[in-house]
Amino acid sequence: MKLTRRILMGAAAGSFLLSGTAAMAQTELTFWSWRQEDKAFYQDVIKKFQAKEPGITVKFETYAPENYQTILSTALAAGRGPDVIQVRAYGNLETIATPGYLLALDKQNVPELANFPEAALAAETLRSDSKVYAVPFAMQAQLVVYNKKIFKDNGVNPPKTWDEMMALTQALKAKNITPFANGTATAWQNETIVGGLLSSMLGKEFETDIVSGKANFTDPRFVGALAKLKDIGQYFSPNFTGVDYPSSQQLFVAGRAAMFAGGSYEVANFKNQNPTLDLGVFPAPVLKAGDQALIATYYDGGYAVNAKTEKKDAALKFVRFLATPEYGTSFTNTLKNLSPIKDIKIEDAITQDVAKLAENSMSYLMLVRFRYQEPSGSVLLQSNVQKMLAGQQTPEQAAAEINKGIATYYKPFQK
């Protein structure tokens, strides 16, 4: 009896010690994101990571996109916030990297950074110290998504020139088909429309001239492109000035519009909502035959580590996992977004088309070049294009207002 009791007590003590050791070895990371629509994907990624690192668990939390930056900045300023952070790129990255909230990454603590092109790392680099603060997660493209069935049923093809685009929209409208699902009530959508429809007309040389200060936004190339956009605005969704982003998405998903000027990131969302959609993509039409057709590209953000985390080693392990070709392949083929990681095998046909189009691209200009200071180029472009399409400004007035705002801080425009 005494022997049995000693055995039981010994077993209980051993069990306690084992469970205590396991608890001590377990590290829980918190991981924040604004990508609510990708929750299932990230839960699957976390399972795969935890299988490789059984001593680490990851708790994924998402917040509304429009509130995310404020919630994140407030938490970090208070010395809290998650261990791993999905961050946006360019100027938005700088707002949280500049105060020292993020851990600098390099090829010592994240050797997988060698898997990325320099342009992707530049999007996650703080200009003041030239250090990288996040592992890039996606390259996005602004272009036109179209409904292949509507095109086929009406005997039309993707346009290559602007004149062909105008003829196409007129032909569809004549058959009581809404050519573009786009509305303009959501301000930021106006910037995506410019990227999707005007990139080929603006061109790489215009971007080079703007960056150097050889030209500014009152340049005839920019004003002329805005005038073309104003012309085609009549073929957007009915009462488009009052149609917000979700409503324009639903119009296209329901098969009630032929085209959607927006981002490559729309494709997976459209297909998820309506798997019967047969979709294609094409670049912004050129002004005249022979010009180079372009899409507008940018890097969407990255994965960063909280500089004050007490779980730095575990956080770096997770971020390194998010920088592997294994992860990039899953990201591209599940979310139908282009991973910036080199040599990813793309399975999806539309994503392959986007990758091919991305070989000829210019920057998504205001985000990449003019979202570092206030008033940001994006805010100026969004608000003034919105007014122009509503008939409250001419293209010349919109261009002048955009230029005036940027010139308050951009020295090449102050000559």
Side-chain angles (χ1 to χ4, degrees):
M1 185 70 179
K2 287 183 179 178
L3 180 60
T4 302
R5 185 178 298 161
R6 285 196 197 104
I7 291 172
L8 289 173
M9 290 177 67
S15 175
F16 174 78
L17 287 172
L18 284 172
S19 64
T21 301
M24 288 175 65
Q26 200 69 30
T27 300
E28 182 181 271
L29 296 175
T30 50
F31 173 31
W32 283 14
S33 170
W34 71 90
R35 299 288 301 175
Q36 296 169 322
E37 61 272 46
D38 298 341
K39 193 168 185 176
F41 166 74
Y42 281 110
Q43 297 290 15
D44 184 58
V45 167
I46 289 167
K47 280 183 184 176
K48 291 174 180 172
F49 171 71
Q50 290 175 168
K52 288 179 179 287
E53 297 287 347
I56 304 172
T57 58
V58 181
K59 184 180 179 184
F60 183 61
E61 298 176 20
T62 61
Y63 296 87
E66 60 272 22
N67 300 327
Y68 182 70
Q69 197 76 4
T70 300
I71 293 170
L72 177 62
S73 297
T74 302
L76 292 172
R80 297 180 283 104
D83 303 297
V84 177
I85 312 163
Q86 190 163 21
V87 294
R88 294 186 169 103
Y90 307 106
N92 271 326
L93 174 83
E94 295 222 340
T95 61
I96 54 173
T98 300
Y101 298 147
L102 306 182
L103 182 71
L105 306 181
D106 55 36
K107 291 175 185 175
Q108 298 299 313
N109 57 18
V110 183
E112 291 78 9
L113 289 179
N115 295 336
F116 294 85
E118 287 301 317
L121 297 178
E124 310 301 334
T125 298
L126 181 61
R127 292 177 303 168
S128 62
D129 65 10
S130 300
K131 293 181 179 178
V132 175
Y133 284 90
V135 168
F137 77 84
M139 186 183 81
Q140 306 291 5
Q142 300 298 323
L143 35 64
V144 180
V145 183
Y146 72 101
N147 185 316
K148 285 185 175 180
K149 184 176 185 304
I150 292 178
F151 272 43
K152 184 179 179 181
D153 289 349
N154 291 280
V156 296
N157 295 307
K160 293 182 178 177
T161 66
W162 193 259
D163 286 345
E164 289 177 4
M165 171 68 95
M166 292 302 292
L168 167 66
T169 52
Q170 290 161 4
L172 292 171
K173 188 75 175 283
K175 295 183 178 183
N176 292 320
I177 297 168
T178 299
F180 284 97
N182 297 87
T184 61
T186 302
W188 65 262
Q189 197 180 1
N190 293 274
E191 187 175 5
T192 66
I193 291 170
V194 169
L197 291 178
L198 303 185
S199 295
S200 298
M201 268 192 277
L202 295 174
K204 293 180 182 179
E205 186 176 344
F206 173 73
E207 180 180 1
T208 301
D209 290 348
I210 284 290
V211 172
S212 68
K214 185 177 177 181
N216 63 32
F217 286 101
T218 63
D219 188 282
R221 288 169 289 185
F222 188 68
V223 176
L226 290 184
K228 296 290 187 186
L229 179 62
K230 185 170 174 55
D231 284 346
I232 210 165
Q234 62 186 299
Y235 299 105
F236 289 177
S237 63
N239 303 313
F240 66 87
T241 57
V243 176
D244 63 10
Y245 178 56
S247 300
S248 63
Q249 286 182 309
Q250 287 307 309
L251 187 66
F252 186 80
V253 166
R256 293 165 52 205
M259 295 176 281
F260 190 98
S264 52
Y265 46 82
E266 303 283 8
V267 173
N269 184 34
F270 290 156
K271 292 286 286 183
N272 286 339
Q273 293 187 63
N274 184 355
T276 68
L277 286 174
D278 187 10
L279 302 178
V281 293
F282 63 83
V286 299
L287 189 58
K288 62 180 186 300
D291 288 351
Q292 186 178 37
L294 299 172
I295 60 174
T297 59
Y298 63 97
Y299 293 94
D300 205 2
Y303 307 111
V305 173
N306 187 336
K308 292 188 177 180
T309 178
E310 295 177 352
K311 306 162 189 172
K312 187 174 78 172
D313 290 345
L316 284 171
K317 283 182 180 178
F318 185 49
V319 165
R320 289 185 62 184
F321 180 74
L322 300 178
T324 60
E326 174 190 353
Y327 170 76
T329 300
S330 176
F331 178 87
T332 295
N333 292 320
T334 303
L335 299 182
K336 309 292 187 289
N337 282 198
L338 289 177
S339 167
I341 297 173
K342 297 173 184 173
D343 301 323
I344 295 295
K345 185 177 179 181
I346 304 172
E347 298 171 353
D348 176 68
I350 298 179
T351 312
Q352 289 174 349
D353 290 343
V354 175
K356 185 70 177 174
L357 291 175
E359 293 174 5
N360 294 310
S361 65
M362 64 178 293
S363 298
Y364 189 43
L365 195 57
M366 294 305 190
L367 169 60
V368 175
R369 305 287 186 182
F370 299 105
R371 215 185 269 188
Y372 292 93
Q373 291 170 274
E374 299 294 338
S376 81
S378 289
V379 168
L380 290 164
L381 180 69
Q382 292 165 14
S383 61
N384 286 289
V385 166
Q386 192 176 42
K387 290 177 186 174
M388 181 192 76
L389 291 173
Q392 298 167 1
Q393 283 183 338
T394 65
E396 290 80 4
Q397 289 170 329
E401 286 299 311
I402 292 166
N403 199 70
K404 179 182 172 184
I406 292 176
T408 59
Y409 54 81
Y410 193 54
K411 290 185 179 178
F413 287 2
Q414 297 171 352
K415 296 175 184 175

